[in-house]
Amino acid sequence: MKKLFLILLLSLSLNAFSQILDPVKWTTSVEKVSDSKYKLITKATIESGWHLYSQNVPEDGPIPTTFLYGDEDDTAFKVIGNTSEDIGHTVDDPVFNMKIKFFEESATFTQTIEVIDSINEVRGTVEFMVCDDTRCLPPTEVDLVFNFNNSNKTQNSNTLQNGSVDNDNINKLLYGMVPEDIKLTEVTSVEKKSLWTIFVLGFLGGLLALLTPCVFPMIPLTVSFFTKQSQNKKTGIINSIFYGLSIIIIYVILGTIITVIFGASALNEMSTAVSFNIVFFIILVVFAISFFGYFEITLPSSWANKVDSKSNKKGFIGIFFMALALAIVSFSCTGPVVGGLLVEAASKGGMAPVLGMLGFSTALALPFSLFAAFPGWLNSLPKSGGWLNTTKVILGFLELALAFKFLSNADLVKRWGILKIEPFLVIWIIIFAGLALYLFGKIKFPHDSPIKKLSFSRIAGGILVASFAIYLASGFRVNKETNTFTSLTLLSGLAPPVGYSWFLPSNTTNNLKTFKDLKEGIVYAKQVNKPIMIDFTGYACVNCRKMEEHIWPLEKIDSYLRNDYVLISLYVDDKKDLPDNQKVEVNRVNGGTRLLKNYGHKWANFQTQFFKSNSQPYYVLFNPNNNEVLNEPVGYTPDEDEYAQFLQKGLDAFNKQN
């Protein structure tokens, strides 16, 4: 095995695509309590976006932070009690299904000791694990040194790092896996694309909200008010533009408040929490029933009355309160759209809620400003009537379908087995079949107007929705090769994984042939003459599971992994002890040495030594015939086309080399 590693090291030394992430810096100090008692203080400074787990983590959870002081033969001092720590944050973790405590930005740990003999220093170690919203790093050990020289208080402050790294590059890189000049532009464009998608979704949501009975009738009324109250056309246009800007400001402030209060990581955790998904499922069902016309949901009338009274003031202040009154009065129609948009934005974190609200409010405000500038356009608007209620009912069906997406999220995390792929598809088929019947006039709701003749738009819409229901039914076809139901592209990210089934064997990773030993996998790959995908993963790696359950089962990706590659999964947090002959002391990439005690140590060391990366998931395409990396490795890649392109490039390189 050592020879194999040497061969790989020589062949990969020129392929250092990645950089080591080092998001935690450790400093130590000593505080004298009495003549014989001291406090050993260890402070962790954590980079923004990362979190460090507590010392107290339930069994089967992530790796806790663990301190060791001295060794078993050390009699110069005695440890008193346990190591104390800061309050930190405690959340219901949806992946581990338990309450887990972690720290952000900084954490201080204090251990009291009693000195028995004269000493100059105490040596110790800390083992810890850190994660951010897209990856986790393997368990890492750092040496600690507490100096007792000179003063009675803080006597030393050693900055202890698990490596000398270029912090500027780390801060710039989004994934930290490849050199800046290769990946930075690509990753930045992916992030911008994601945020642009949120803006577009918000804009489309605003257009839908416009076509509801709460908002649409307000357009001619508001424009008429500005044109009549203004002294001239120019003033009317200015006032209406400010009215539109006020709408935008109100909703953007809402998105900003949510972002500031919760932060990117908290929003993401909230969006994946079981309790949150269940609550939102209930809320969406209630909103859907309201959209169907069985009852009305409004904010307290006192709010609208107070705001409306303020709108009587002259000038821009009054106009702003008019916009605020619109937001409150139209809540029964806009609330569900805004809520759904914020949940989607929460999964992106960062500025996504702000951009989502910007898109939504821009679409909502645009007509008011445009029609005020060109009042003659009002004549081209369709008159208010039954079609507005039809739009509202259609939104009710969509809200109901979306509600089961959130219930599915909770079911997947808890593994209740209630809403697997079969019942989910059946429920959606019923919902969209019901919508088709409604558009064809076969189902009616309380506020619907009598239908004398079906319009072209209702017939076309009914045919389109019925076709979608048939498309959903096609998801029950069994893929004989993967022994799963057919993956429906339009339901990607909405429906449960096709392998999460009542009637077919549980198969979230498509029963792929997977090796967990590097040497064994390489031998097999040579026999079948196929390239290798080395999958650096972890049992406690959330995004590893997301890739395995949501991306790997996709038909395009599954074909590559099943037919074209040999898969080797190496778990960097595997605590199984290594055989004694493999427990060796190795040099760290960034200096110092480390004893490899278990398989997790072994594979984590392999990843950092050969690929200069220490985050998971991490995928390396490798040619076993000439010991060469086929293309640039990647990390968490939730985009199907991007991941497929990565696999195809590796396959093309392998075929060219062989």
Side-chain angles (χ1 to χ4, degrees):
M1 192 65 178
K2 290 182 181 178
K3 290 182 179 179
L4 174 63
F5 273 23
L6 289 173
I7 293 172
L8 287 173
L9 180 59
L10 290 172
S11 63
L12 300 177
S13 59
L14 297 178
N15 292 293
F17 295 115
S18 311
Q19 293 191 5
I20 301 299
L21 292 177
D22 185 23
V24 182
K25 304 293 184 295
W26 297 90
T27 59
T28 64
S29 59
V30 178
E31 181 179 333
K32 187 173 182 179
V33 179
S34 66
D35 288 341
S36 62
K37 290 186 179 180
Y38 293 83
K39 287 183 178 180
L40 306 182
I41 301 171
T42 309
K43 183 176 181 180
T45 302
I46 309 163
E47 286 186 9
S48 177
W50 293 86
H51 56 265
L52 170 73
Y53 288 106
S54 164
Q55 298 174 94
N56 305 307
V57 174
E59 189 177 354
D60 296 328
I63 305 300
T65 300
T66 305
F67 290 89
L68 292 176
Y69 303 94
D71 53 43
E72 296 179 357
D73 300 327
D74 206 330
T75 58
F77 68 93
K78 180 172 65 175
V79 174
I80 301 175
N82 298 320
T83 303
S84 64
E85 63 184 26
D86 291 339
I87 296 175
H89 308 276
T90 301
V91 298
D92 287 315
D93 192 287
V95 175
F96 296 104
N97 188 25
M98 61 179 67
K99 287 186 179 295
I100 295 179
K101 178 180 174 182
F102 62 86
F103 306 100
E104 293 180 321
E105 296 184 357
S106 67
T108 301
F109 304 87
T110 304
Q111 175 65 58
T112 302
I113 66 167
E114 181 179 359
V115 175
I116 300 172
D117 293 331
S118 177
I119 56 175
N120 294 321
E121 66 179 27
V122 169
R123 291 185 173 271
T125 60
V126 57
E127 182 181 24
F128 62 96
M129 176 177 178
V130 289
C131 298
D132 69 0
D133 292 337
T134 63
R135 66 223 138 151
C136 289
L137 304 188
T140 304
E141 287 184 6
V142 168
D143 294 327
L144 304 174
V145 180
F146 302 89
N147 284 335
F148 283 71
N149 299 323
N150 302 326
S151 72
N152 289 334
K153 202 161 184 183
T154 303
Q155 301 180 17
N156 183 53
S157 181
N158 293 329
T159 299
L160 299 161
Q161 307 176 22
N162 46 334
S164 58
V165 293
D166 188 339
N167 288 322
D168 289 336
N169 279 341
I170 286 181
N171 291 330
K172 291 175 184 176
L173 293 175
L174 300 177
Y175 290 114
M177 294 177 183
V178 292
E180 178 180 359
D181 58 343
I182 298 177
K183 189 71 172 183
L184 183 59
T185 301
E186 179 182 342
V187 174
T188 303
S189 66
V190 170
E191 183 184 73
K192 288 181 177 178
K193 179 181 177 182
S194 176
L195 293 177
W196 172 249
T197 301
I198 289 294
F199 177 85
V200 172
L201 286 175
F203 191 86
L204 293 175
L207 293 179
L208 283 174
L210 274 173
L211 304 177
T212 59
C214 314
V215 181
F216 188 81
M218 298 295 291
I219 297 175
L221 291 175
T222 305
V223 173
S224 176
F225 171 82
F226 284 127
T227 54
K228 289 180 181 179
Q229 295 296 320
S230 302
Q231 297 176 352
N232 52 59
K233 183 178 180 181
K234 181 179 178 181
T235 304
I237 292 175
I238 293 174
N239 289 342
S240 60
I241 290 175
F242 184 78
Y243 179 75
L245 289 175
S246 297
I247 294 174
I248 294 174
I249 290 170
I250 289 167
Y251 282 100
V252 168
I253 287 175
L254 173 63
T256 303
I257 290 173
I258 290 174
T259 302
V260 171
I261 291 177
F262 295 102
S265 60
L267 280 170
N268 188 47
E269 289 165 6
M270 185 172 66
S271 68
T272 57
V274 173
S275 57
F276 177 82
N277 279 280
I278 292 175
V279 167
F280 212 80
F281 162 74
I282 296 171
I283 290 174
L284 287 180
V285 170
V286 171
F287 271 125
I289 297 173
S290 172
F291 273 5
F292 291 150
Y294 290 103
F295 56 84
E296 187 93 2
I297 298 177
T298 58
L299 293 175
S301 58
S302 59
W303 293 13
N305 293 334
K306 281 186 178 181
V307 172
D308 192 52
S309 65
K310 300 284 185 181
S311 67
N312 292 325
K313 293 183 178 182
K314 293 184 178 180
F316 289 154
I317 295 178
I319 294 173
F320 178 82
F321 279 101
M322 280 186 64
L324 185 57
L326 172 69
I328 293 174
V329 171
S330 64
F331 175 78
S332 60
C333 292
T334 60
V337 181
V338 169
L341 178 63
L342 286 175
V343 170
E344 175 63 23
S347 65
K348 308 295 181 185
M351 293 295 293
V354 177
L355 289 175
M357 290 298 95
L358 178 62
F360 177 86
S361 56
T362 300
L364 204 62
L366 201 57
F368 292 95
S369 298
L370 287 177
F371 284 112
F374 306 99
W377 289 5
L378 288 173
N379 297 326
S380 63
L381 281 179
K383 295 181 179 180
S384 300
W387 69 272
L388 288 175
N389 187 70
T390 300
T391 303
K392 195 174 179 181
V393 171
I394 292 172
L395 282 174
F397 277 103
L398 297 178
E399 293 279 342
L400 190 60
L402 187 61
F404 284 94
K405 185 261 188 188
F406 291 101
L407 184 61
S408 171
N409 288 346
D411 179 75
L412 278 170
V413 171
K414 298 294 288 186
R415 291 291 170 179
W416 290 325
I418 299 173
L419 200 59
K420 292 191 175 184
I421 186 65
E422 295 93 343
F424 184 92
L425 286 177
V426 168
I427 291 171
W428 267 46
I429 289 170
I430 293 173
I431 290 172
F432 285 97
L435 176 55
L437 291 174
Y438 171 75
L439 292 173
F440 286 132
K442 303 300 181 182
I443 298 176
K444 293 186 177 181
F445 290 95
H447 299 303
D448 283 331
S449 303
I451 300 176
K452 296 179 181 179
K453 183 180 178 182
L454 289 177
S455 64
F456 173 78
S457 59
R458 288 187 76 118
I459 294 174
I463 293 174
L464 182 64
V465 174
S467 300
F468 182 67
I470 295 172
Y471 170 76
L472 292 173
S474 69
F476 284 113
R477 292 178 302 170
V478 176
N479 185 325
K480 294 181 180 179
E481 190 170 348
T482 62
N483 198 32
T484 62
F485 289 115
T486 301
S487 177
L488 299 177
T489 304
L490 295 180
L491 264 66
S492 178
L494 294 173
V498 291
Y500 188 49
S501 167
W502 274 354
F503 302 112
L504 298 178
S506 181
N507 181 18
T508 54
T509 54
N510 293 4
N511 286 333
L512 294 170
K513 183 179 181 63
T514 306
F515 293 90
K516 293 186 178 181
D517 180 82
L518 181 64
K519 184 176 181 180
E520 182 182 352
I522 290 176
V523 170
Y524 177 80
K526 287 184 176 181
Q527 291 175 350
V528 296
N529 194 32
K530 289 183 179 181
I532 291 169
M533 185 174 87
I534 302 176
D535 163 35
F536 289 101
T537 183
Y539 294 111
C541 174
V542 175
N543 281 321
C544 301
R545 302 293 86 74
K546 288 181 180 179
M547 290 293 294
E548 292 163 10
E549 295 184 2
H550 298 291
I551 302 301
W552 288 9
L554 297 175
E555 185 175 355
K556 186 191 302 184
I557 306 302
D558 176 82
S559 178
Y560 282 113
L561 299 181
R562 188 176 303 280
N563 302 318
D564 301 316
Y565 284 94
V566 172
L567 178 61
I568 303 176
S569 293
L570 306 178
Y571 289 80
V572 300
D573 55 0
D574 188 346
K575 291 298 184 181
K576 183 180 178 182
D577 285 341
L578 283 168
D580 290 339
N581 63 346
Q582 292 188 33
K583 292 181 179 179
V584 295
E585 191 165 330
V586 297
N587 293 324
R588 296 178 186 269
V589 172
N590 39 39
T593 61
R594 180 190 191 186
L595 177 64
L596 304 183
K597 301 176 183 177
N598 55 47
Y599 281 94
H601 290 167
K602 176 181 178 178
W603 301 132
N605 179 70
F606 176 51
Q607 183 182 357
T608 56
Q609 288 284 349
F610 291 93
F611 305 107
K612 305 300 182 289
S613 170
N614 62 342
S615 65
Q616 293 76 43
Y618 191 67
Y619 305 109
V620 179
L621 304 184
F622 181 75
N623 186 346
N625 298 321
N626 59 11
N627 298 326
E628 289 186 11
V629 173
L630 294 168
N631 61 349
E632 180 185 329
V634 300
Y636 178 60
T637 312
D639 184 274
E640 178 187 2
D641 292 334
E642 186 180 349
Y643 197 60
Q645 186 179 35
F646 160 70
L647 295 171
Q648 183 59 52
K649 284 183 178 179
L651 191 61
D652 292 342
F654 177 80
N655 291 332
K656 185 180 293 186
Q657 293 175 10
N658 294 275

